[in-house]
Amino acid sequence: EAVNSIFWGNQGGLTLGGTVGNYNVTYSCVQTSPVFPGTSNINSNPLLLDPVNYDVRFSYSSPCDDTGDYLEFDPYIDIIGTPREGQYTSDMGAYELNYNIPVVLRVDANSPCTENCHGASWATAFSTIDETLLYISNYGTLPPEYYFEVWVAEETYTECIMLLDHVEIYGGFDGTESFRNERDPETNVTTIDGNDQGSVVTLANDCVVDGFIITNGTATNGGGVYGDTVDDVAINNCTISGNTAQGNGGGVYGDTV
């Protein structure tokens, strides 16, 4: 039996063994023509976010939104613990759509990945934070319910970074975690070292910096963190020390920080 499932982008489509009486497919999105037999099945493109890189969540405009069967979910949560919305409003697929969904990219200075790195897993992690931010800047516009989270494994990263709007960056990982709350910033020390080359971290609008040591920055203003004229900024669980400025804010400079 298959319920509340998405079968899309598979070579050869959906093939089930046995006779018709041996299986039942309902409330599912199946890439067949005509629509696969069964209650409330559909065959419209589910608009998966990034299936090539194994991100099978879907956009808010997906036909899979609010078309699942809530009564068939047990427990009534999705694969990452998000509650299913309820009868007539639950979604097909492994993920329940909500309007604050992170697209997680991973960074590990000791990443085993040497080519085609995309950060969707620790095995394909980027090796620098700046490389990850460049990937995000070239990614294109996300649907409004999504934002980027960057998970950074313990190590010293010698670089100065300029964050992007709507990006949250978290340190303190050991490079095996599946969920952000599994990290331990005190144990897995993650340092961004500016090497006296400018502000270590330049903030952007609606961004989060959490779980880092920020050090060795040198700038006119804001040697450690520079955040002038930005809004909705959060700096949590960070140690900002050993930074200098010729003007103001050796550690942190900004009118909203």
Side-chain angles (χ1 to χ4, degrees):
E1 182 178 23
V3 186
N4 299 321
S5 300
I6 298 174
F7 301 89
W8 202 268
N10 302 290
Q11 187 173 0
L14 176 64
T15 302
L16 299 174
T19 63
V20 172
N22 290 337
Y23 62 82
N24 185 35
V25 178
T26 59
Y27 293 93
S28 294
C29 178
V30 186
Q31 190 174 8
T32 59
S33 182
V35 174
F36 198 86
T39 303
S40 298
N41 290 330
I42 61 175
N43 64 350
S44 301
N45 189 325
L47 303 179
L48 301 178
L49 184 64
D50 190 11
V52 174
N53 292 321
Y54 312 108
D55 191 342
V56 293
R57 293 169 294 185
F58 52 76
S59 169
Y60 73 102
S61 57
S62 169
C64 297
D65 185 23
D66 295 344
T67 51
D69 183 5
Y70 177 77
L71 298 179
E72 291 293 335
F73 291 111
D74 185 16
Y76 299 120
I77 57 175
D78 73 1
I79 195 171
I80 58 173
T82 303
R84 296 291 183 175
E85 294 181 3
Q87 183 69 344
Y88 310 118
T89 58
S90 292
D91 302 334
M92 295 178 180
Y95 295 94
E96 188 73 12
L97 179 64
N98 63 59
Y99 288 85
N100 193 26
I101 305 173
V103 176
V104 176
L105 300 176
R106 295 158 181 83
V107 183
D108 186 347
N110 302 304
S111 174
C113 186
T114 58
E115 59 181 359
N116 299 321
C117 304
H118 48 68
S121 67
W122 289 113
T124 59
F126 298 102
S127 59
T128 69
I129 302 169
D130 192 57
E131 182 184 8
T132 312
L133 294 172
L134 178 61
Y135 177 88
I136 292 173
S137 69
N138 293 328
Y139 192 92
T141 303
L142 284 175
E145 70 274 19
Y146 293 93
Y147 68 97
F148 282 105
E149 277 190 13
V150 178
W151 294 2
V152 186
E154 60 177 332
E155 189 56 86
T156 296
Y157 296 83
T158 304
E159 52 185 315
C160 294
I161 64 172
M162 298 184 66
L163 293 181
L164 303 168
D165 291 351
H166 317 302
V167 172
E168 301 183 3
I169 180 170
Y170 296 89
F173 295 86
D174 66 14
T176 62
E177 295 86 353
S178 299
F179 300 98
R180 174 156 47 92
N181 62 9
E182 296 175 329
R183 71 187 178 124
D184 184 351
E186 292 186 6
T187 300
N188 305 315
V189 177
T190 311
T191 300
I192 309 176
D193 186 327
N195 196 31
D196 295 325
Q197 297 299 306
S199 299
V200 182
V201 177
T202 300
L203 301 173
N205 294 303
D206 188 24
C207 72
V208 174
V209 181
D210 189 314
F212 294 93
I213 295 175
I214 298 171
T215 190
N216 287 337
T218 300
T220 302
N221 297 308
V225 177
Y226 180 85
D228 202 17
T229 66
V230 293
D231 295 314
D232 298 322
V233 171
I235 302 174
N236 304 316
N237 306 308
C238 289
T239 299
I240 303 171
S241 64
N243 305 284
T244 60
Q246 290 77 45
N248 299 305
V252 180
Y253 177 84
D255 59 358
T256 59
V257 181

